[in-house]
């Protein structure tokens, strides 16, 4: 349905996504779609999945959109400078006050082992952070809201993360790329928090 609407309203634009083949891959404007981010959660009736839609122009992410249909149909949208949550602009983030009892999130803790993320993850735990596996797009949602301090992920595909980039940066967070491929391994947190984890 998303693809049908895009093709109807923006016929010259390209589309790429997880489930179907790319459309008009040479177009300067590209829509990036992940209709169910958190497929495993979806198949197990865990409500922590969402829909991601992003718009890219000549390789630069312009806008991103996230909807959590099973969490009161909540949504976020961002343009890299501003983040909107359920129609209201997110307030300025509170200052980072340390890792003790802070919440850090990842989709799968075992996927972090022996990766570039592991030293940062372990350091946050040593400083007193509490880890949970509330991952996929829900983890980024929680960090953008200021309810978690850090979200870490690895082995990301473009449609897993690119629509989230304008939302994350629009909410005042930094995306710290640690992978060999752009955005395939990331740690998302505030710049203040990140500075305490550098090893």
């Amino acid at each position: 349905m998303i693809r049908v609407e895009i093709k109807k309203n923006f016929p010259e634009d390209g589309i790429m996504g997880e489930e179907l083949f790319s459309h008009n891959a040479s177009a300067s404007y590209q829509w990036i779609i992940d209709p169910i981010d958190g497929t495993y959660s979806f198949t197990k009736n865990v409500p922590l999945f969402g829909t991601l839609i992003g718009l890219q122009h000549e390789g630069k992410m312009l806008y991103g959109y996230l909807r959590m249909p099973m969490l009161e149909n909540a949504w976020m949208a961002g343009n890299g400078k501003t983040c909107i949550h359920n129609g209201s602009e997110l307030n300025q983030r509170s200052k980072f006050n340390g890792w003790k009892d802070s919440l850090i999130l990842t989709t799968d803790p075992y996927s972090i082992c022996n990766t570039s993320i592991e030293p940062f993850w372990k350091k946050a735990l040593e400083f007193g952070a509490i880890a949970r596996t509330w991952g996929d797009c829900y983890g980024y949602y929680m960090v953008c809201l200021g309810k978690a301090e850090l979200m870490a992920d690895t082995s990301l595909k473009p449609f897993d993360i690119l629509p989230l980039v304008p939302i994350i940066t629009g909410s005042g967070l930094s995306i710290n790329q640690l992978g060999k491929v752009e955005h395939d391994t990331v740690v998302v947190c505030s710049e203040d928090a990140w500075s305490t984890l550098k090893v």
Side-chain angles (χ1 to χ4, degrees), residues 21-142:
F21 292 110
S22 294
H23 166 74
N24 202 5
S26 62
S28 60
Y29 283 96
Q30 293 287 329
W31 293 86
I32 302 167
I33 304 167
D34 192 351
I36 303 177
D37 183 73
T39 306
Y40 189 75
S41 293
F42 176 78
T43 63
K44 298 297 181 181
N45 293 321
V46 176
L48 308 183
F49 62 88
T51 297
L52 302 177
I53 304 173
L55 179 62
Q56 186 181 69
H57 181 243
E58 295 182 350
K60 180 182 178 182
M61 290 305 302
L62 300 180
Y63 301 101
Y65 175 81
L66 159 65
R67 184 176 288 276
M68 308 292 298
M70 301 305 293
L71 299 179
E72 299 178 341
N73 217 14
W75 61 273
M76 279 184 172
N79 63 2
K81 297 178 181 178
T82 303
C83 182
I84 305 296
H85 177 236
N86 293 338
S88 299
E89 187 173 344
L90 282 178
N91 296 327
Q92 189 172 2
R93 297 181 61 81
S94 59
K95 186 173 175 59
F96 175 68
N97 292 315
W99 291 106
K100 184 171 174 51
D101 296 326
S102 66
L103 178 61
I104 61 174
L105 304 172
T106 186
T107 301
D108 178 5
Y110 295 105
S111 69
I112 291 174
C113 295
N114 301 316
T115 70
S116 54
I117 288 178
E118 188 175 32
F120 302 96
W121 184 262
K122 284 184 174 180
K123 197 168 184 181
L125 291 173
E126 289 169 5
F127 287 157
I130 297 170
R132 293 291 183 269
T133 54
W134 303 334
D136 299 311
C137 59
Y138 181 68
Y140 299 99
Y141 178 76
M142 290 285 284

